[in-house]
Amino acid sequence: VQLQASGGGLVQAGGSLRLSCRSSRSAFSTYAVGWFRQAPGKEREFAAAISRNGGTRYADFTKGRFTVSRDNSVNTVYLQMNELKEEDTAVYYCAGRRTILTVQASDDEDAYDTWGQGTQVTVSS
């Protein structure tokens, strides 16, 4: 399964963006998917994840601003980001791994074996 992240762009603080992580394979429905981000000069960090059965996990910094969801009919996982802040500026990556149904979404990037190419999000003041 190959993943393609899109939807990034330039937005003013307080604005919203919706990122998409798409796969061309229907097997994507059996994947847990995580969103990670990397700001300039910083290590990559976990943002949000969704399990195969729709369970979600969020990093503290999202504080209800971000929502991860999936639409298996179009092989896509979304990351809705609201109330964006300048510190949300980063390259956002989606990552996936095939799991059994009961596995919870992971916040550990080493748990994922398939990565998309990243999409740039820039939040201006």
Side-chain angles (χ1 to χ4, degrees):
V1 170
Q2 290 185 326
L3 305 180
Q4 182 173 8
S6 62
L10 175 63
V11 64
Q12 287 190 326
S16 299
L17 283 173
R18 188 177 77 161
L19 306 184
S20 298
C21 178
R22 289 186 175 87
S23 170
S24 61
R25 300 286 298 276
S26 61
F28 191 52
S29 65
T30 65
Y31 276 63
V33 176
W35 285 98
F36 296 81
R37 69 182 190 180
Q38 187 166 23
K42 295 187 177 181
E43 293 186 352
R44 189 159 58 189
E45 64 177 348
F46 169 75
I50 187 166
S51 69
R52 174 176 170 176
N53 64 7
T56 57
R57 177 173 292 192
Y58 295 95
D60 289 343
F61 69 79
T62 65
K63 294 182 179 178
R65 300 183 298 126
F66 292 8
T67 302
V68 60
S69 62
R70 68 189 305 154
D71 185 347
N72 290 334
S73 68
V74 291
N75 300 328
T76 303
V77 167
Y78 302 100
L79 183 66
Q80 178 68 44
M81 304 187 297
N82 300 326
E83 301 175 37
L84 284 163
K85 306 175 182 179
E86 287 184 74
E87 51 263 43
D88 293 319
T89 294
V91 177
Y92 284 71
Y93 299 89
C94 64
R97 69 162 178 156
R98 194 166 192 173
T99 70
I100 60 176
L101 191 60
T102 56
V103 172
Q104 295 182 352
S106 175
D107 59 0
D108 182 358
E109 65 176 66
D110 290 334
Y112 298 91
D113 55 20
T114 303
W115 288 79
Q117 83 287 5
T119 184
Q120 176 70 48
V121 171
T122 303
V123 184
S124 64
S125 59

